Amino acid sequence: GENVEQHPSTLSVQEGDSAVIKCTYSDSASNYFPWYKQELGKGPQLIIDIRSNVGEKKDQRIAVTLNKTAKHFSLHITETQPEDSAVYFCAASGNFGNEKLTFGTGTRLTIIP
Amino acid sequence: EPEVTQTPSHQVTQMGQEVILRCVPISNHLYFYWYRQILGQKVEFLVSFYNNEISEKSEIFDDQFSVERPDGSNFTLKIRSTKLEDSAMYFCASTRERSYEQYFGPGTRLTVT
């Protein structure tokens, strides 16, 4: 089955700087890669996603890049703000929609004011 | 904006007791999921449900677990005889048909003593 690795496990960034979180996946059949933000005591919130027919997607300060050949994808947050502090999870799923998500181990991002 | 809701937010039960966790998925969604997250670990898939049937389940989802859609709005996870290792956050998620984006509820924290 699919295995998703995520690095780093913790990341501290000065407010205003950029943060990058990286994930690799094992199953070449995976085609959908979402990123979730989880704040303390809450459920995962979908913040951005990318499908395999696209190499990069951007939404304001957040971007995701995908390299299907190397089987890795990354989350980029620019101009970080204190409210970006949370745990971020990457995930992967298959080609047909409605399939289960396989999650990475999470990255605790702390923005230092 | 429609949200997935879950009740209760926290459930404490004794080992061997049965628990039912409840979820109300987003109203026009047709696929439903349960995931769990043991404290400090990744989110793990348990089961997916569509058209009143289980579509996929993980090895975690053994005979002590069952799911049901008892009416047009609720989706439940029953654990028949709880064990200490069932202590975790349980998240419900839902998605539209032929869609990739899964939306998660706030979770139920299950504590088995």
Side-chain angles (χ1 to χ4, degrees):
Chain A
E2 175 66 279
N3 183 49
V4 178
E5 302 282 342
Q6 183 172 347
H7 300 281
S9 56
T10 60
L11 179 61
S12 294
V13 171
Q14 208 71 35
E15 182 179 352
D17 288 350
S18 295
V20 180
I21 303 170
K22 299 182 179 182
C23 288
T24 59
Y25 61 98
S26 61
D27 189 349
S28 56
S30 291
N31 275 293
Y32 173 66
F33 307 95
W35 285 90
Y36 285 85
K37 175 183 182 182
Q38 187 178 27
E39 294 172 302
L40 196 63
K42 297 186 179 179
Q45 177 194 3
L46 179 65
I47 57 171
I48 195 167
D49 56 13
I50 192 167
R51 289 178 57 184
S52 61
N53 56 348
V54 174
E56 183 173 357
K57 185 176 176 181
K58 199 170 181 180
D59 182 3
Q60 299 183 352
R61 298 186 296 108
I62 295 174
V64 56
T65 58
L66 171 66
N67 183 327
K68 271 216 71 127
T69 305
K71 289 194 272 203
H72 66 70
F73 56 111
S74 301
L75 177 71
H76 305 253
I77 306 174
T78 58
E79 299 170 20
T80 52
Q81 300 168 3
E83 54 264 36
D84 295 329
S85 294
V87 178
Y88 291 81
F89 289 96
C90 62
S93 78
N95 196 30
F96 299 105
N98 302 122
E99 295 187 39
K100 68 179 181 186
L101 295 173
T102 300
F103 281 83
T105 46
T107 296
R108 181 174 299 279
L109 175 64
T110 302
I111 307 303
I112 305 165
Chain B
E1 186 174 315
E3 291 180 336
V4 177
T5 59
Q6 289 185 243
T7 53
S9 56
H10 190 191
Q11 173 91 48
V12 181
T13 189
Q14 288 190 328
M15 198 166 50
Q17 296 296 303
E18 174 183 287
V19 294
I20 298 176
L21 310 183
R22 290 184 167 80
C23 167
V24 178
I26 295 172
S27 63
N28 63 344
H29 287 189
L30 297 177
Y31 278 81
F32 314 119
Y33 310 82
W34 284 101
Y35 292 83
R36 80 171 185 191
Q37 184 180 32
I38 294 171
L39 187 63
Q41 298 185 21
K42 67 167 77 175
V43 178
E44 300 174 287
F45 169 76
L46 292 178
V47 65
S48 58
F49 190 85
Y50 171 71
N51 199 25
N52 282 319
E53 287 185 347
I54 290 174
S55 22
E56 188 176 1
K57 61 182 180 179
S58 72
E59 62 273 12
I60 303 168
F61 194 88
D62 61 22
D63 291 344
Q64 67 164 333
F65 291 94
S66 62
V67 289
E68 191 180 28
R69 187 151 164 84
D71 53 43
S73 58
N74 289 282
F75 178 52
T76 62
L77 174 69
K78 182 192 289 186
I79 309 175
R80 256 178 280 282
S81 177
T82 50
K83 304 175 204 163
L84 293 176
E85 54 265 37
D86 294 328
S87 294
M89 280 290 284
Y90 288 81
F91 294 107
C92 174
S94 69
T95 186
R96 290 177 285 115
E97 195 166 18
R98 288 189 294 277
S99 174
Y100 291 85
E101 297 88 358
Q102 292 186 24
Y103 294 92
F104 283 72
T108 292
R109 178 171 299 284
L110 177 65
T111 302
V112 183
T113 62

